[in-house]
Amino acid sequence: MKKKNVLKAFTSTLILATGARLALHAQSAQPYQGVVGRTLAESKEWWPEPVKAPAGAPNVVWILLDDVGYGASEAFGGLIQTPTFDTLANNGLRYTNFHTTAICAPTRAALLTGRNSASVHESGFSHTVMSAGFPGWDGRVPATAGTVAEILRDNGYNTFAVGKFGITPDEEATDAGPFDHWPTGKGFDHFFGFLGSQTDQYKPDLVEDQAHVRPDGRHLNDQITDKAIAYIDRQQKAAPGKPFFLYYAPGATHAPHQVDKYWSDQYKGKFDKGWDAYRKEVFERQKKLGVIPANAVLPERNPNIKEWEKLTPDEQKLYARFFEVYAGYLTYTDFEVGRLVNHLKEAGQLDNTLIFISIGDNGASKEGTLNGNIDRSLWSKPLTEQENVNYNLAKIGEIGTAQAVEGNYPLGWAQAANTPFKFWKQDANSEGGTHNPLIVYWPKGITEKGGIRTQYSHVIDVLPTTLDLIGIKAPAQIRSVQQQPIEGFSFADSINDAKALWHHNEQYYYIFGSRSIYKDGWKAELAYPSSFITGNLASHQAFDENAWELYNLNDDPTERIDLAKKNPEKLAELKAEFEAQAKAHNLAPFITWDDVLSGRIHHGKDAKSFSDAVKDITKAGGNQ
């Protein structure tokens, strides 16, 4: 019996040791450096060195909010309380010239890979009826574009993700997989959240690691924060001091806007003066805070947005309540981020944690249409403006509740939340779609507290900047797969030098027809008409591909003065550059919303077109 126990213990030890060494081999590409002779005496053993992060490497936390405009949070002059973001910005840095792609999936793919969204197949979405069979559009981030999680995992980090992933193809998002495009297939040790673009905050389509799980009824923000803390604590208990990477991406503040009344009721009456007054007050706050250029001028209201004072009392009451709920939703999200930050502080981890916070993956959303939305799908039968107002008034008490399954505010508030810019989410032509706040916080690495940084930057720059600050080089290969070049530019030198050079001087943008090209302060842009504004997705508006506009952002940062007729040479130069960038990054063909909605693209040989799928949804009741 004693011999059996000894043998059992020896066998277990051997299995564990072998497993550990196999894991080491899996992590590293170190060539074998021993000698294999005919006998043991003629051989020399060798084991690969365990992979370790650079000495003193910080923990890394990336926080990416959803659908938050530049002028929403008080950290960047807005009127919505965000004390956590304020504290981190006041003890870190505000980057005031940071840009996203104008819509969620392309931003997330670009952020995680450090490459332009078209370069990693995510010009549009990974949704079945919104992707297309072209290299820049199929919605499948390739293995040649390794993520930050894959890079850090292979350099001694544990990697966790919670919240919205948004770049897993719909047809692969079942418990049968395949799992290559799930978070765990993209370098994350653990994931807890949802794979799609939008989910109910109380009944989320919830996944943990590689299986769907049952939500517990609490708000999703609460659940993902608890899970993030649990992942960190469990890891630190097993390997004290080992650095971790956390990607914290709540569904907030994307629709549906759902939040406990404890939060939304704190804003009762706070927005009764309306969106015009909000824009003016926020603009002045932004000037005083220094987060917009001194020469910025507030643009006029966007087309179709009514003057607040000309709305009926019922409309004012309804629209103010929509924004009270949204404000509560953002403040609650800030509170949950605060729980995470406080936990890191209590655990002694915060001082050496490098945190990037992008307050939005695009500008404020126009998907609430002109009158706001409580529970009607965009595929529902269109209502007249007065019918929509009456419908929403009858359900005003449901705004923000679990019953508000499509909850979103009216367009007037979207422009207000985007102060000082024009237009909104999806508009890749406009700063209102692409210009978001960025906060960088790192007590051990940032010498200046509360600094402002004006260097032009883009979401693809966060990955190379992170690697630079840690001291890790982007690998030529990941798991034997040759990697595409990183296309972002590190702005690490600006962390402790406000006057550091601008490295990112040119950037293209494209979302379903809307497009622009930025180069050395100049910007050429072309808008695409949007049926999202009216809420009637069946409508098609004329598109003039020659209606390009030209702006000098150095003199006119809010895009008020179109110089296209005054400077046709510059416009022609930038248009040609846009075409060159599109070719270089696999952006063609230029698929538009009209192509999607009219059914001219199909996903897969036997897949339904978008228009056929919409017809099925409409037949089923229109609220799916």
Side-chain angles (χ1 to χ4, degrees):
M1 190 69 180
K2 192 173 181 180
K3 288 182 179 179
K4 286 184 179 179
N5 287 339
V6 171
L7 180 61
K8 184 177 179 182
F10 174 76
T11 305
S12 298
T13 302
L14 182 62
I15 291 172
L16 287 170
T18 303
R21 288 181 178 118
L22 285 173
L24 285 173
H25 280 289
Q27 280 188 356
S28 65
Q30 299 175 41
Y32 186 72
Q33 298 172 33
V35 176
V36 179
R38 182 172 178 274
T39 66
L40 184 59
E42 297 169 337
S43 305
K44 180 182 178 182
E45 291 182 289
W46 177 83
W47 304 106
E49 288 294 320
V51 176
K52 292 183 179 179
N59 305 312
V60 178
V61 176
W62 283 6
I63 298 172
L64 178 65
L65 271 62
D66 203 328
D67 286 8
V68 188
Y70 193 85
S73 72
E74 64 178 344
F76 278 73
L79 302 184
I80 301 175
Q81 296 176 17
T82 51
T84 302
F85 300 151
D86 275 14
T87 298
L88 295 175
N90 291 336
N91 290 280
L93 302 171
R94 288 175 173 87
Y95 279 78
T96 63
N97 206 357
F98 177 72
H99 294 77
T100 54
T101 70
I103 207 165
C104 53
T107 289
R108 290 159 199 275
L111 173 67
L112 289 169
T113 66
R115 301 162 177 99
N116 285 288
S117 54
S119 298
V120 297
H121 302 211
E122 201 74 55
S123 294
F125 288 93
S126 294
H127 300 315
T128 303
V129 291
M130 298 175 78
S131 58
F134 303 102
W137 289 88
D138 63 26
R140 288 163 167 77
V141 176
T144 56
T147 69
V148 63
E150 291 177 282
I151 296 171
L152 294 185
R153 175 198 62 191
D154 289 354
N155 280 276
Y157 277 70
N158 281 119
T159 55
F160 314 122
V162 296
K164 173 175 172 176
F165 195 59
I167 53 173
T168 300
D170 286 349
E171 57 269 42
E172 297 181 12
T174 72
D175 287 346
F179 301 104
D180 308 56
H181 296 104
W182 285 45
T184 52
K186 290 297 178 184
F188 289 102
D189 297 330
H190 292 290
F191 171 74
F192 181 84
F194 62 102
L195 300 177
S197 292
Q198 173 176 329
T199 197
D200 191 297
Q201 294 296 294
Y202 291 105
K203 299 182 289 291
D205 183 20
L206 200 56
V207 162
E208 182 158 18
D209 292 339
Q210 293 184 348
H212 284 79
V213 295
R214 187 184 299 275
D216 64 11
R218 291 181 298 148
H219 197 285
L220 183 59
N221 280 359
D222 193 15
Q223 295 182 61
I224 66 168
T225 306
D226 280 356
K227 189 61 70 169
I229 289 170
Y231 285 153
I232 292 167
D233 285 354
R234 187 169 64 186
Q235 179 245 17
Q236 287 297 304
K237 184 176 180 181
K242 183 179 180 180
F244 61 82
F245 169 66
L246 171 66
Y247 177 47
Y248 183 99
T253 55
H254 194 289
H257 298 169
Q258 296 168 314
V259 70
D260 191 277
K261 286 188 175 182
Y262 169 83
W263 298 99
S264 57
D265 284 355
Q266 294 179 24
Y267 289 95
K268 274 191 174 181
K270 296 290 179 66
F271 305 116
D272 288 354
K273 292 181 181 179
W275 47 59
D276 295 320
Y278 182 100
R279 291 181 70 219
K280 291 176 182 176
E281 183 175 351
V282 169
F283 184 76
E284 293 305 317
R285 288 165 59 96
Q286 290 173 329
K287 281 281 185 80
K288 290 178 182 177
L289 194 57
V291 296
I292 60 175
N295 64 341
V297 177
L298 187 65
E300 296 297 317
R301 281 187 302 277
N302 290 339
N304 300 313
I305 303 303
K306 293 180 180 179
E307 182 182 345
W308 182 264
E309 293 301 323
K310 291 183 179 179
L311 297 175
T312 67
D314 278 346
E315 287 173 324
Q316 291 180 349
K317 173 185 173 183
L318 174 65
Y319 298 164
R321 184 55 187 163
F322 271 113
F323 204 60
E324 289 169 5
V325 166
Y326 178 78
Y329 191 24
L330 180 54
T331 296
Y332 170 54
T333 303
D334 177 272
F335 168 80
E336 288 295 339
V337 173
R339 279 213 299 133
L340 171 65
V341 171
N342 287 336
H343 183 79
L344 293 174
K345 183 177 182 179
E346 291 170 359
Q349 296 279 349
L350 187 59
D351 279 354
N352 198 29
T353 297
L354 171 61
I355 301 177
F356 288 82
I357 304 172
S358 178
I359 305 181
D361 54 356
N362 42 244
S365 172
K366 64 182 172 184
E367 291 149 16
T369 71
L370 288 167
N371 313 116
N373 190 4
I374 298 174
D375 59 2
R376 287 175 50 79
S377 166
L378 285 170
W379 327 122
S380 302
K381 180 181 177 180
L383 301 177
T384 67
E385 185 171 353
Q386 191 57 54
E387 286 173 340
N388 202 9
V389 170
N390 291 342
Y391 181 89
N392 288 341
L393 277 169
K395 294 194 168 192
I396 192 170
E398 293 182 14
I399 299 174
T401 67
Q403 287 71 48
V405 294
E406 295 288 343
N408 209 334
Y409 52 40
L411 273 169
W413 285 119
Q415 183 175 14
N418 278 336
T419 303
F421 303 117
K422 298 190 300 183
F423 300 115
W424 25 57
K425 175 184 177 180
Q426 299 184 24
D427 294 331
N429 54 296
S430 173
E431 295 294 291
T434 64
H435 204 134
N436 284 94
L438 179 71
I439 296 169
V440 181
Y441 174 86
W442 185 19
K444 278 196 174 180
I446 296 175
T447 55
E448 180 186 357
K449 310 300 182 186
I452 300 288
R453 297 292 184 268
T454 60
Q455 286 82 357
Y456 189 94
S457 58
H458 186 266
V459 66
I460 60 176
D461 300 336
V462 176
L463 184 150
T465 302
T466 299
L467 298 185
D468 234 4
L469 293 173
I470 295 172
I472 291 174
K473 290 184 177 180
Q477 293 186 341
I478 294 179
R479 306 294 166 106
S480 301
V481 176
Q482 192 69 28
Q483 295 295 291
Q484 302 169 214
I486 298 293
E487 294 173 349
F489 297 84
S490 171
F491 54 83
D493 55 351
S494 70
I495 292 291
N496 288 311
D497 181 4
K499 296 181 180 179
L501 293 176
W502 294 25
H503 302 296
H504 198 145
N505 296 310
E506 182 174 352
Q507 181 61 45
Y508 82 90
Y509 298 86
Y510 186 92
I511 297 296
F512 289 119
S514 65
R515 66 201 74 174
S516 62
I517 179 80
Y518 169 89
K519 187 174 183 181
D520 296 327
W522 287 90
K523 186 179 174 189
E525 58 188 62
L526 179 64
Y528 192 83
S530 174
S531 52
F532 282 89
I533 292 176
T534 62
N536 182 4
L537 296 192
S539 67
H540 301 287
Q541 302 176 53
F543 170 53
D544 182 0
E545 195 168 349
N546 295 313
W548 282 80
E549 298 172 0
L550 177 69
Y551 296 96
N552 183 338
L553 296 188
N554 293 327
D555 300 333
D556 178 25
T558 57
E559 301 171 296
R560 295 172 54 254
I561 305 167
D562 179 10
L563 301 173
K565 291 181 179 179
K566 279 190 174 182
N567 200 337
E569 295 84 6
K570 175 59 73 173
L571 178 59
E573 173 194 327
L574 290 176
K575 286 171 65 176
E577 186 59 30
F578 176 83
E579 295 290 333
Q581 290 290 312
K583 185 175 182 180
H585 296 291
N586 286 330
L587 180 57
F590 295 150
I591 295 172
T592 68
W593 274 121
D594 192 56
D595 293 326
V596 175
L597 298 171
S598 62
R600 288 196 285 267
I601 63 169
H602 289 74
H603 181 91
K605 182 179 177 183
D606 301 315
K608 290 184 177 181
S609 69
F610 189 91
S611 54
D612 288 338
V614 170
K615 289 175 185 176
D616 290 346
I617 292 172
T618 304
K619 287 178 184 177
N623 286 321
Q624 297 183 9

